[in-house]
Amino acid sequence: MIEIDGKIYKTAIVHDWVCNYGGADRVLEWLLQIMPDSPIYIGCYMENQLSPMLMKADLRPSSLQRRQNQKRDNHQKFLPFMPTAFEEFDLNEYDIVVSDSSCCAKGVITNPNTLHICYCHTPMRYAYEFYYEYTKSMNPLKKKLVKYFMNYLRLWDVLSANRVDYFVANSENVANRIRKHYARESEVIYPPVNISYFHPQESEADFYLCVSRLIKHKRIDLVVEAFNDLGLELYVIGEGEELKNLKKKARNNVHLIGRQPDSVVKDYYSRCKAFIFPTEEDFGITPVEAQASGRPVIAFGKGGALETVIDGITGTFFDTQSVESLIDAVQRLETMDIKKENCRKNAEKFSDEIYYNKMKNFIEDKWREFVK
Protein backbone atom coordinates (compact mmCIF):
# COMPACT_ATOMS: atom_id res chain seq x y z
CA MET A 1 0.00 0.00 0.00
CA ILE A 2 0.99 3.63 -0.31
CA GLU A 3 -0.19 6.85 1.29
CA ILE A 4 -0.75 9.79 -1.07
CA ASP A 5 -2.18 13.12 0.15
CA GLY A 6 -3.45 11.53 3.34
CA LYS A 7 -5.23 8.59 1.68
CA ILE A 8 -4.17 4.94 1.62
CA TYR A 9 -4.21 3.14 -1.74
CA LYS A 10 -3.92 -0.58 -2.47
CA THR A 11 -0.80 -1.48 -4.41
CA ALA A 12 0.71 -4.56 -6.03
CA ILE A 13 4.12 -5.30 -7.54
CA VAL A 14 4.69 -7.57 -10.55
CA HIS A 15 8.14 -9.12 -11.10
CA ASP A 16 9.46 -11.48 -13.79
CA TRP A 17 11.29 -14.01 -11.57
CA VAL A 18 13.90 -14.45 -8.85
CA CYS A 19 16.07 -17.31 -10.07
CA ASN A 20 19.52 -15.73 -9.91
CA TYR A 21 19.49 -12.83 -7.45
CA GLY A 22 20.71 -9.65 -9.14
CA GLY A 23 20.08 -5.98 -9.86
CA ALA A 24 16.40 -6.34 -10.83
CA ASP A 25 15.73 -8.10 -7.53
CA ARG A 26 17.33 -5.24 -5.61
CA VAL A 27 14.92 -2.90 -7.36
CA LEU A 28 12.09 -5.19 -6.28
CA GLU A 29 13.17 -4.84 -2.64
CA TRP A 30 13.18 -1.06 -2.89
CA LEU A 31 9.74 -1.03 -4.52
CA LEU A 32 8.57 -3.05 -1.53
CA GLN A 33 9.94 -0.35 0.77
CA ILE A 34 8.16 2.37 -1.22
CA MET A 35 4.90 0.37 -1.13
CA PRO A 36 5.05 -1.72 2.08
CA ASP A 37 2.99 -4.90 2.40
CA SER A 38 2.30 -5.02 -1.35
CA PRO A 39 1.78 -8.55 -2.69
CA ILE A 40 4.36 -9.52 -5.31
CA TYR A 41 2.93 -11.30 -8.35
CA ILE A 42 5.84 -13.23 -9.83
CA GLY A 43 6.40 -15.63 -12.71
CA CYS A 44 8.48 -18.04 -10.61
CA TYR A 45 11.25 -18.08 -8.05
CA MET A 46 13.90 -20.28 -6.46
CA GLU A 47 13.73 -20.30 -2.69
CA ASN A 48 17.52 -20.39 -2.26
CA GLN A 49 17.82 -17.15 -4.29
CA LEU A 50 15.43 -15.14 -2.11
CA SER A 51 16.92 -12.46 0.12
CA PRO A 52 15.72 -12.26 3.75
CA MET A 53 13.34 -9.45 2.80
CA LEU A 54 11.82 -11.40 -0.08
CA MET A 55 11.48 -14.54 2.05
CA LYS A 56 9.13 -12.56 4.31
CA ALA A 57 7.21 -10.96 1.42
CA ASP A 58 3.79 -12.00 0.13
CA LEU A 59 4.93 -13.81 -3.02
CA ARG A 60 2.16 -14.92 -5.37
CA PRO A 61 3.70 -17.03 -8.14
CA SER A 62 2.12 -17.99 -11.44
CA SER A 63 1.36 -21.54 -12.53
CA LEU A 64 4.97 -21.72 -13.80
CA GLN A 65 6.19 -22.09 -10.22
CA ARG A 66 5.19 -25.76 -10.23
CA ARG A 67 7.64 -26.35 -13.09
CA GLN A 68 10.58 -24.44 -11.62
CA ASN A 69 13.32 -26.79 -10.49
CA GLN A 70 14.32 -25.59 -7.01
CA LYS A 71 17.80 -27.05 -7.38
CA ARG A 72 18.52 -25.72 -10.85
CA ASP A 73 17.56 -22.51 -12.65
CA ASN A 74 15.41 -23.53 -15.61
CA HIS A 75 13.13 -20.50 -15.89
CA GLN A 76 14.32 -19.60 -19.42
CA LYS A 77 12.57 -22.71 -20.74
CA PHE A 78 9.27 -21.18 -19.67
CA LEU A 79 9.50 -18.22 -22.05
CA PRO A 80 6.81 -19.55 -24.45
CA PHE A 81 4.35 -19.74 -21.53
CA MET A 82 5.19 -16.47 -19.77
CA PRO A 83 2.80 -14.12 -21.64
CA THR A 84 -0.17 -16.29 -20.66
CA ALA A 85 1.13 -16.76 -17.10
CA PHE A 86 1.22 -13.02 -16.43
CA GLU A 87 -2.13 -12.39 -18.11
CA GLU A 88 -3.71 -14.86 -15.66
CA PHE A 89 -3.04 -12.61 -12.66
CA ASP A 90 -6.23 -10.87 -11.45
CA LEU A 91 -5.21 -7.36 -10.36
CA ASN A 92 -8.64 -5.73 -10.39
CA GLU A 93 -8.62 -4.94 -6.64
CA TYR A 94 -5.57 -2.64 -6.77
CA ASP A 95 -5.38 1.12 -7.26
CA ILE A 96 -1.72 1.13 -8.33
CA VAL A 97 0.32 -1.65 -9.95
CA VAL A 98 4.07 -1.31 -10.51
CA SER A 99 5.69 -3.90 -12.77
CA ASP A 100 9.44 -4.46 -12.49
CA SER A 101 10.12 -5.86 -15.93
CA SER A 102 12.80 -7.03 -18.32
CA CYS A 103 10.59 -9.66 -19.93
CA CYS A 104 6.84 -10.25 -19.52
CA ALA A 105 5.89 -8.69 -16.16
CA LYS A 106 4.65 -5.53 -17.84
CA GLY A 107 2.07 -7.63 -19.74
CA VAL A 108 -0.36 -7.95 -16.83
CA ILE A 109 -3.92 -6.84 -17.47
CA THR A 110 -5.30 -4.04 -15.29
CA ASN A 111 -8.67 -2.31 -15.28
CA PRO A 112 -9.21 1.31 -16.44
CA ASN A 113 -9.22 2.58 -12.84
CA THR A 114 -5.82 1.05 -12.00
CA LEU A 115 -2.62 2.99 -12.59
CA HIS A 116 0.06 0.76 -14.13
CA ILE A 117 3.66 2.02 -13.96
CA CYS A 118 6.42 -0.13 -15.45
CA TYR A 119 9.98 0.14 -14.20
CA CYS A 120 11.65 -1.22 -17.32
CA HIS A 121 15.14 -2.68 -17.07
CA THR A 122 15.02 -3.30 -20.83
CA PRO A 123 12.68 -4.36 -23.60
CA MET A 124 13.32 -8.10 -24.04
CA ARG A 125 16.98 -8.25 -25.07
CA TYR A 126 16.65 -11.59 -26.89
CA ALA A 127 13.64 -10.42 -28.94
CA TYR A 128 15.18 -7.38 -30.62
CA GLU A 129 18.73 -6.34 -31.56
CA PHE A 130 20.36 -8.92 -29.27
CA TYR A 131 18.33 -11.70 -30.93
CA TYR A 132 21.13 -12.41 -33.43
CA GLU A 133 23.75 -12.73 -30.70
CA TYR A 134 21.58 -15.11 -28.64
CA THR A 135 20.76 -17.40 -31.57
CA LYS A 136 24.02 -17.54 -33.52
CA SER A 137 25.30 -20.64 -31.69
CA MET A 138 22.02 -22.58 -31.98
CA ASN A 139 21.69 -25.60 -34.24
CA PRO A 140 19.71 -24.97 -37.48
CA LEU A 141 16.50 -26.67 -36.31
CA LYS A 142 16.36 -24.82 -32.99
CA LYS A 143 17.18 -21.54 -34.69
CA LYS A 144 14.30 -22.04 -37.14
CA LEU A 145 11.81 -22.81 -34.36
CA VAL A 146 13.00 -19.83 -32.30
CA LYS A 147 12.67 -17.55 -35.33
CA TYR A 148 8.92 -18.20 -35.65
CA PHE A 149 8.30 -18.04 -31.91
CA MET A 150 10.13 -14.72 -31.58
CA ASN A 151 7.91 -13.20 -34.27
CA TYR A 152 4.87 -13.98 -32.10
CA LEU A 153 6.65 -12.80 -28.94
CA ARG A 154 7.56 -9.43 -30.47
CA LEU A 155 3.93 -8.85 -31.47
CA TRP A 156 2.76 -9.68 -27.94
CA ASP A 157 5.53 -7.56 -26.41
CA VAL A 158 4.52 -4.41 -28.31
CA LEU A 159 0.83 -5.05 -27.64
CA SER A 160 1.44 -5.50 -23.92
CA ALA A 161 3.48 -2.28 -23.79
CA ASN A 162 0.25 -0.45 -24.63
CA ARG A 163 -1.19 -1.70 -21.32
CA VAL A 164 1.34 0.40 -19.38
CA ASP A 165 0.25 3.92 -18.40
CA TYR A 166 3.75 5.24 -17.65
CA PHE A 167 7.23 3.84 -18.27
CA VAL A 168 10.30 4.41 -16.12
CA ALA A 169 13.63 3.43 -17.73
CA ASN A 170 16.67 2.37 -15.73
CA SER A 171 19.02 4.39 -18.00
CA GLU A 172 19.04 6.71 -21.02
CA ASN A 173 20.22 3.67 -22.96
CA VAL A 174 17.00 1.80 -22.09
CA ALA A 175 14.87 4.91 -22.64
CA ASN A 176 16.14 4.96 -26.24
CA ARG A 177 15.24 1.29 -26.66
CA ILE A 178 11.74 1.86 -25.23
CA ARG A 179 11.30 4.71 -27.72
CA LYS A 180 12.54 2.54 -30.58
CA HIS A 181 10.58 -0.66 -29.88
CA TYR A 182 7.43 0.65 -28.15
CA ALA A 183 7.21 4.23 -29.50
CA ARG A 184 6.77 5.40 -25.90
CA GLU A 185 8.52 8.06 -23.82
CA SER A 186 9.85 7.25 -20.35
CA GLU A 187 11.32 8.88 -17.27
CA VAL A 188 14.89 7.84 -16.43
CA ILE A 189 15.45 6.82 -12.80
CA TYR A 190 18.71 4.96 -12.26
CA PRO A 191 18.46 1.73 -10.22
CA PRO A 192 19.52 1.77 -6.55
CA VAL A 193 23.12 0.99 -5.65
CA ASN A 194 24.10 0.50 -2.02
CA ILE A 195 26.82 3.14 -2.14
CA SER A 196 27.15 3.37 1.66
CA TYR A 197 28.28 -0.27 1.85
CA PHE A 198 31.45 0.41 -0.18
CA HIS A 199 34.40 2.52 0.89
CA PRO A 200 37.73 3.49 -0.69
CA GLN A 201 40.94 2.25 0.97
CA GLU A 202 44.36 3.81 1.00
CA SER A 203 46.09 0.54 0.14
CA GLU A 204 46.02 -0.76 -3.42
CA ALA A 205 46.99 -4.23 -4.60
CA ASP A 206 48.53 -4.96 -7.97
CA PHE A 207 45.63 -6.94 -9.45
CA TYR A 208 42.65 -6.31 -11.70
CA LEU A 209 39.12 -7.47 -10.93
CA CYS A 210 36.05 -8.75 -12.77
CA VAL A 211 32.74 -9.59 -11.02
CA SER A 212 30.10 -11.23 -13.17
CA ARG A 213 27.88 -14.20 -13.87
CA LEU A 214 29.95 -16.51 -16.06
CA ILE A 215 27.69 -16.87 -19.09
CA LYS A 216 28.59 -16.43 -22.75
CA HIS A 217 27.15 -13.01 -23.51
CA LYS A 218 28.98 -11.45 -20.54
CA ARG A 219 32.25 -11.92 -22.54
CA ILE A 220 34.44 -12.88 -19.58
CA ASP A 221 36.34 -15.06 -22.06
CA LEU A 222 37.61 -11.83 -23.60
CA VAL A 223 38.97 -10.66 -20.25
CA VAL A 224 40.69 -13.99 -19.54
CA GLU A 225 42.36 -14.05 -22.97
CA ALA A 226 43.50 -10.42 -22.69
CA PHE A 227 45.10 -10.98 -19.27
CA ASN A 228 46.66 -14.24 -20.45
CA ASP A 229 48.52 -12.09 -22.97
CA LEU A 230 49.22 -9.21 -20.60
CA GLY A 231 50.52 -11.46 -17.84
CA LEU A 232 48.96 -9.15 -15.21
CA GLU A 233 47.19 -10.50 -12.13
CA LEU A 234 43.43 -10.89 -12.60
CA TYR A 235 40.75 -12.15 -10.20
CA VAL A 236 37.33 -13.18 -11.55
CA ILE A 237 34.50 -13.51 -9.03
CA GLY A 238 31.34 -15.30 -10.13
CA GLU A 239 29.90 -18.59 -11.21
CA GLY A 240 27.98 -19.92 -14.19
CA GLU A 241 27.97 -22.32 -17.10
CA GLU A 242 31.23 -20.94 -18.52
CA LEU A 243 33.33 -21.51 -15.38
CA LYS A 244 34.89 -24.80 -16.53
CA ASN A 245 35.74 -23.47 -20.00
CA LEU A 246 37.29 -20.34 -18.56
CA LYS A 247 39.41 -22.31 -16.10
CA LYS A 248 40.80 -24.35 -19.00
CA LYS A 249 41.82 -21.13 -20.80
CA ALA A 250 43.23 -19.29 -17.80
CA ARG A 251 46.98 -19.09 -17.20
CA ASN A 252 48.58 -18.91 -13.76
CA ASN A 253 48.07 -15.15 -13.44
CA VAL A 254 44.27 -15.45 -13.91
CA HIS A 255 42.33 -16.65 -10.85
CA LEU A 256 38.69 -17.74 -11.15
CA ILE A 257 37.55 -17.95 -7.54
CA GLY A 258 33.82 -18.58 -7.96
CA ARG A 259 31.00 -16.92 -6.11
CA GLN A 260 32.06 -15.07 -2.94
CA PRO A 261 30.27 -13.50 0.04
CA ASP A 262 29.49 -9.78 -0.21
CA SER A 263 32.18 -8.98 2.36
CA VAL A 264 34.85 -10.65 0.20
CA VAL A 265 33.64 -8.90 -2.97
CA LYS A 266 33.72 -5.59 -1.10
CA ASP A 267 37.33 -6.19 -0.08
CA TYR A 268 38.41 -7.06 -3.63
CA TYR A 269 36.66 -3.96 -5.00
CA SER A 270 38.50 -1.65 -2.59
CA ARG A 271 41.97 -3.11 -3.26
CA CYS A 272 41.97 -3.77 -7.01
CA LYS A 273 43.98 -1.67 -9.40
CA ALA A 274 40.97 -1.36 -11.72
CA PHE A 275 37.67 -3.07 -12.45
CA ILE A 276 37.07 -4.70 -15.86
CA PHE A 277 33.56 -4.54 -17.38
CA PRO A 278 33.49 -6.17 -20.86
CA THR A 279 29.71 -6.41 -21.31
CA GLU A 280 27.13 -4.25 -23.06
CA GLU A 281 24.58 -3.90 -20.28
CA ASP A 282 21.37 -1.92 -20.01
CA PHE A 283 22.76 -0.18 -16.91
CA GLY A 284 25.35 -2.26 -15.02
CA ILE A 285 25.61 -2.02 -11.23
CA THR A 286 29.10 -3.48 -10.72
CA PRO A 287 30.99 -0.54 -12.32
CA VAL A 288 29.17 1.78 -9.90
CA GLU A 289 30.09 -0.43 -6.93
CA ALA A 290 33.74 -0.38 -8.04
CA GLN A 291 33.71 3.42 -8.28
CA ALA A 292 32.02 3.67 -4.88
CA SER A 293 35.10 1.76 -3.64
CA GLY A 294 37.32 4.43 -5.19
CA ARG A 295 38.50 2.25 -8.07
CA PRO A 296 38.59 3.09 -11.81
CA VAL A 297 36.69 1.08 -14.41
CA ILE A 298 37.78 -0.21 -17.81
CA ALA A 299 34.51 -0.76 -19.68
CA PHE A 300 33.25 -1.73 -23.12
CA GLY A 301 32.11 1.58 -24.58
CA LYS A 302 28.46 0.76 -25.21
CA GLY A 303 25.25 0.60 -23.19
CA GLY A 304 24.83 1.78 -19.63
CA ALA A 305 28.56 2.08 -18.89
CA LEU A 306 28.60 5.27 -20.99
CA GLU A 307 26.34 6.81 -18.32
CA THR A 308 28.19 5.54 -15.25
CA VAL A 309 31.89 5.86 -16.20
CA ILE A 310 33.56 9.18 -17.08
CA ASP A 311 36.37 8.68 -19.58
CA GLY A 312 39.68 9.90 -18.20
CA ILE A 313 38.13 10.83 -14.83
CA THR A 314 36.79 7.58 -13.37
CA GLY A 315 38.07 5.12 -15.96
CA THR A 316 38.29 4.51 -19.66
CA PHE A 317 36.60 2.60 -22.49
CA PHE A 318 37.54 0.10 -25.16
CA ASP A 319 35.71 0.39 -28.48
CA THR A 320 35.39 -3.19 -29.66
CA GLN A 321 34.94 -6.50 -27.87
CA SER A 322 38.35 -7.77 -28.88
CA VAL A 323 41.45 -8.83 -27.00
CA GLU A 324 43.52 -6.12 -28.71
CA SER A 325 41.10 -3.35 -27.81
CA LEU A 326 40.90 -4.39 -24.16
CA ILE A 327 44.68 -4.70 -23.87
CA ASP A 328 45.05 -1.19 -25.29
CA ALA A 329 42.57 0.17 -22.69
CA VAL A 330 44.43 -1.51 -19.81
CA GLN A 331 47.70 -0.03 -21.00
CA ARG A 332 46.14 3.42 -21.39
CA LEU A 333 44.66 3.30 -17.88
CA GLU A 334 48.08 2.58 -16.40
CA THR A 335 49.25 5.99 -17.70
CA MET A 336 46.25 7.86 -16.21
CA ASP A 337 46.04 9.59 -12.84
CA ILE A 338 42.59 8.50 -11.64
CA LYS A 339 41.59 9.99 -8.27
CA LYS A 340 39.71 7.88 -5.71
CA GLU A 341 37.60 10.86 -4.68
CA ASN A 342 36.41 11.42 -8.26
CA CYS A 343 35.33 7.79 -8.56
CA ARG A 344 33.46 7.96 -5.26
CA LYS A 345 31.77 11.26 -6.10
CA ASN A 346 30.55 9.94 -9.44
CA ALA A 347 29.14 6.77 -7.83
CA GLU A 348 27.13 8.77 -5.31
CA LYS A 349 24.81 9.93 -8.12
CA PHE A 350 23.39 6.38 -8.20
CA SER A 351 22.63 5.87 -4.50
CA ASP A 352 19.66 3.87 -3.25
CA GLU A 353 18.40 6.93 -1.37
CA ILE A 354 18.17 8.92 -4.61
CA TYR A 355 16.31 6.02 -6.27
CA TYR A 356 13.84 5.76 -3.36
CA ASN A 357 12.97 9.46 -3.39
CA LYS A 358 12.69 9.77 -7.18
CA MET A 359 10.62 6.61 -7.63
CA LYS A 360 8.29 7.40 -4.74
CA ASN A 361 7.73 10.94 -6.03
CA PHE A 362 7.12 9.61 -9.55
CA ILE A 363 4.44 7.17 -8.36
CA GLU A 364 2.71 9.86 -6.28
CA ASP A 365 2.81 12.47 -9.07
CA LYS A 366 1.51 10.06 -11.71
CA TRP A 367 -1.32 8.93 -9.44
CA ARG A 368 -2.45 12.56 -9.01
CA GLU A 369 -2.25 13.00 -12.77
CA PHE A 370 -4.09 9.71 -13.38
CA VAL A 371 -7.10 10.50 -11.19
CA LYS A 372 -7.66 14.09 -12.35
Side-chain angles (χ1 to χ4, degrees):
M1 60 184 67
I2 191 170
E3 182 177 343
I4 303 175
D5 300 331
K7 293 184 179 181
I8 303 295
Y9 296 97
K10 292 190 71 174
T11 57
I13 302 169
V14 188
H15 190 68
D16 289 314
W17 52 72
V18 181
C19 293
N20 194 331
Y21 184 88
D25 308 311
R26 297 183 197 183
V27 169
L28 174 61
E29 292 175 340
W30 277 97
L31 288 174
L32 198 56
Q33 293 182 61
I34 293 170
M35 302 180 293
D37 302 318
S38 297
I40 300 171
Y41 291 84
I42 187 168
C44 60
Y45 63 87
M46 294 179 65
E47 292 180 2
N48 65 359
Q49 293 297 316
L50 297 177
S51 66
M53 180 186 291
L54 295 180
M55 288 181 71
K56 296 176 183 177
D58 180 6
L59 297 178
R60 302 185 183 182
S62 75
S63 56
L64 300 178
Q65 181 66 17
R66 294 193 301 269
R67 305 181 186 185
Q68 174 59 54
N69 187 327
Q70 288 299 310
K71 295 182 179 179
R72 179 174 57 84
D73 179 7
N74 61 327
H75 76 275
Q76 292 178 337
K77 294 182 178 180
F78 304 154
L79 185 58
F81 311 105
M82 283 184 181
T84 301
F86 281 96
E87 288 178 344
E88 287 175 352
F89 288 136
D90 181 358
L91 303 174
N92 280 321
E93 65 180 286
Y94 302 105
D95 301 301
I96 301 170
V97 170
V98 178
S99 56
D100 181 37
S101 184
S102 61
C103 186
C104 297
K106 73 176 189 327
V108 291
I109 297 171
T110 58
N111 71 52
N113 299 314
T114 299
L115 170 64
H116 179 186
I117 295 171
C118 174
Y119 188 85
C120 185
H121 297 274
T122 177
M124 291 186 216
R125 290 172 64 91
Y126 31 80
Y128 296 103
E129 61 266 35
F130 292 94
Y131 163 77
Y132 307 99
E133 180 181 338
Y134 277 97
T135 59
K136 67 182 179 182
S137 61
M138 291 180 181
N139 66 58
L141 177 59
K142 187 175 181 180
K143 185 179 288 189
K144 189 172 184 178
L145 292 172
V146 168
K147 177 177 69 174
Y148 289 107
F149 167 68
M150 281 299 178
N151 182 57
Y152 149 75
L153 191 61
R154 291 185 195 103
L155 292 172
W156 179 87
D157 189 48
V158 173
L159 172 67
S160 67
N162 291 328
R163 300 171 185 169
V164 176
D165 295 301
Y166 300 98
F167 273 100
V168 180
N170 77 351
S171 61
E172 293 291 349
N173 175 44
V174 168
N176 289 335
R177 298 186 69 221
I178 291 171
R179 190 177 299 114
K180 172 70 175 179
H181 300 308
Y182 301 153
R184 298 285 300 275
E185 293 302 314
S186 57
E187 179 89 2
V188 174
I189 300 177
Y190 291 115
V193 183
N194 188 5
I195 300 299
S196 61
Y197 181 71
F198 302 96
H199 301 283
Q201 287 188 18
E202 288 302 319
S203 61
E204 176 187 308
D206 195 25
F207 67 83
Y208 290 79
L209 178 66
C210 187
V211 179
S212 175
R213 283 184 294 145
L214 305 183
I215 53 180
K216 283 186 178 180
H217 82 268
K218 296 292 186 180
R219 296 309 314 270
I220 309 305
D221 60 317
L222 180 70
V223 183
V224 171
E225 290 172 16
F227 278 81
N228 280 345
D229 290 351
L230 284 164
L232 300 172
E233 203 85 4
L234 171 71
Y235 283 85
V236 179
I237 296 176
E239 60 185 14
E241 61 192 31
E242 287 294 291
L243 180 58
K244 287 184 179 179
N245 291 335
L246 293 171
K247 281 188 172 181
K248 289 177 182 177
K249 288 183 179 182
R251 294 181 181 170
N252 292 337
N253 59 301
V254 176
H255 312 280
L256 292 112
I257 60 175
R259 187 172 183 173
Q260 298 293 323
D262 289 347
S263 58
V264 174
V265 177
K266 175 183 177 181
D267 178 61
Y268 273 87
Y269 270 138
S270 65
R271 294 189 299 112
C272 71
K273 193 165 188 178
F275 182 78
I276 312 296
F277 189 67
T279 315
E280 181 179 352
E281 291 284 10
D282 307 306
F283 174 73
I285 286 176
T286 52
V288 179
E289 292 176 339
Q291 290 173 86
S293 306
R295 309 315 307 147
V297 176
I298 300 171
F300 178 47
K302 280 192 176 182
L306 293 173
E307 300 172 53
T308 61
V309 180
I310 306 173
D311 193 22
I313 305 297
T314 70
T316 192
F317 299 106
F318 56 100
D319 297 329
T320 61
Q321 286 178 314
S322 68
V323 171
E324 295 76 17
S325 186
L326 176 52
I327 287 174
D328 176 68
V330 172
Q331 292 172 339
R332 278 188 285 110
L333 185 84
E334 294 204 336
T335 67
M336 296 178 181
D337 183 21
I338 304 293
K339 306 292 186 185
K340 289 184 175 71
E341 54 269 28
N342 289 339
C343 295
R344 176 71 188 189
K345 183 178 179 181
N346 185 52
E348 288 171 351
K349 298 186 297 187
F350 306 99
S351 73
D352 42 24
E353 182 180 356
I354 290 174
Y355 171 84
Y356 178 91
N357 291 329
K358 285 189 174 183
M359 193 68 193
K360 187 173 188 293
N361 290 338
F362 183 88
I363 293 170
E364 292 174 355
D365 290 345
K366 293 310 177 185
W367 174 252
R368 296 184 187 105
E369 186 177 315
F370 185 76
V371 296
K372 273 186 180 179

